[in-house]
Amino acid sequence: MSTDEIDLGNPRWYLATRLRDVVQHRWSAEVRAIGVHGSMAHGDDSDQSDINMVVVTYRQGAGPRPALRRVDGILVDLSIVTGDDGLRRARELTPRWPLEADRYLTVRDLYDPRGWFAQQRDCHLAKLAETRPGEFSGLARRNWCIASAAHARAVRLAEWYETDAALVLMAEARLHAAMVTGLLSRTYFRNRADAVKRTGLAGADMTELGAVLKSQAEELTARGRPVDGPLNALFD
């Protein structure tokens, strides 16, 4: 990507290009590609947005170190991955897939002479195409168990008038319930806030969330992934 294609009047893009230039200058022989994901990749960043930059290297331990800090008033999240490891991760599905897929599928490159980011996207799309529904359901069940446990603890804490702690656990329960929905529908989200908002769980109270979890448990059972079972089912 050329500098002409970037709005350098935008302070985030200006800082991102400066960071790219520093990385290329200091580690020119080690860097394979540089890009940004998140709101900047989607083209809807605002004054409250961070810079989520990834540097792809040829070798493990080469290039800059990962970093998270403010620079000129803007939060910069700099992640480092080797080319081989990045492609391996793109071929994997985890319970956090609804929050991970966007960084594989929507990246704006700042330096990518050999098309590594397009290769990463193709690897992930190929994995999705070959994945059977049962694998998504199994990952969803794991998130359901976390959501259900957090919800149960939140209810108990509320009964003890530990409302602050209950609110923390409710946030965890909403997020994992949202990821259940994402996995069952093969929907990925921009971030955690987007996940609970798009699934309608952002404002769900304890009773409403309990009903959602009950419905999800029934759907998982119908899909052959019951949330409860005998001891030997633990090893299936």
Side-chain angles (χ1 to χ4, degrees):
M1 176 180 294
S2 67
T3 304
D4 293 339
E5 297 174 290
I6 297 174
D7 178 12
L8 294 181
N10 180 323
R12 290 162 299 286
W13 280 111
Y14 178 66
L15 178 56
T17 57
R18 287 171 54 205
L19 179 55
R20 174 201 62 188
D21 293 345
V22 169
V23 170
Q24 285 185 284
H25 177 72
R26 295 184 61 178
W27 294 280
S28 58
E30 303 290 353
V31 174
R32 184 170 181 173
I34 303 172
V36 294
H37 54 87
S39 59
M40 293 180 67
H42 283 276
D44 56 8
D45 56 296
S46 67
D47 290 341
Q48 290 74 44
S49 298
D50 309 333
I51 296 175
N52 302 109
M53 179 174 286
V54 57
V55 173
V56 184
T57 62
Y58 288 101
R59 300 181 299 117
Q60 187 73 34
R65 296 179 180 179
L68 177 65
R69 64 163 299 167
R70 290 174 69 89
V71 178
D72 295 338
I74 299 171
L75 184 65
V76 177
D77 185 356
L78 177 65
S79 59
I80 315 298
V81 66
T82 66
D84 291 342
D85 194 39
L87 296 181
R88 177 187 61 78
R89 293 180 190 177
R91 298 187 189 100
E92 295 177 345
L93 291 182
T94 75
R96 292 184 61 82
W97 175 82
L99 299 180
E100 295 173 340
D102 188 63
R103 68 179 57 200
Y104 300 136
L105 300 175
T106 308
V107 181
R108 189 168 179 184
D109 69 271
L110 297 175
Y111 170 74
D112 191 10
R114 298 184 180 180
W116 186 88
F117 289 114
Q119 187 179 358
Q120 176 187 240
R121 181 175 61 252
D122 290 345
C123 283
H124 193 65
L125 290 173
K127 175 63 178 178
L128 295 180
E130 68 186 22
T131 302
R132 296 178 179 273
E135 186 171 348
F136 278 96
S137 299
L139 297 172
R141 181 170 62 183
R142 181 177 178 85
N143 277 305
W144 185 92
C145 290
I146 296 172
S148 179
H151 176 260
R153 291 195 296 270
V155 170
R156 189 172 183 86
L157 286 168
E159 292 172 347
W160 293 343
Y161 300 100
E162 296 284 352
T163 54
D164 291 341
L167 288 172
V168 172
L169 287 169
M170 278 294 293
E172 180 182 357
R174 291 189 190 102
L175 175 60
H176 285 277
M179 288 196 284
V180 172
T181 298
L183 285 161
L184 294 179
S185 63
R186 295 199 181 202
T187 301
Y188 63 91
F189 309 110
R190 297 271 296 271
N191 48 51
R192 290 173 294 179
D194 184 49
V196 295
K197 179 180 179 180
R198 289 175 57 191
T199 55
L201 294 171
D205 61 23
M206 289 182 181
T207 301
E208 292 168 337
L209 185 56
V212 168
L213 290 169
K214 182 177 183 295
S215 176
Q216 290 178 341
E218 293 170 350
E219 183 170 357
L220 285 166
T221 299
R223 293 184 180 219
R225 294 293 188 272
V227 300
D228 200 354
L231 178 61
N232 59 1
L234 185 65
F235 306 103
D236 292 339

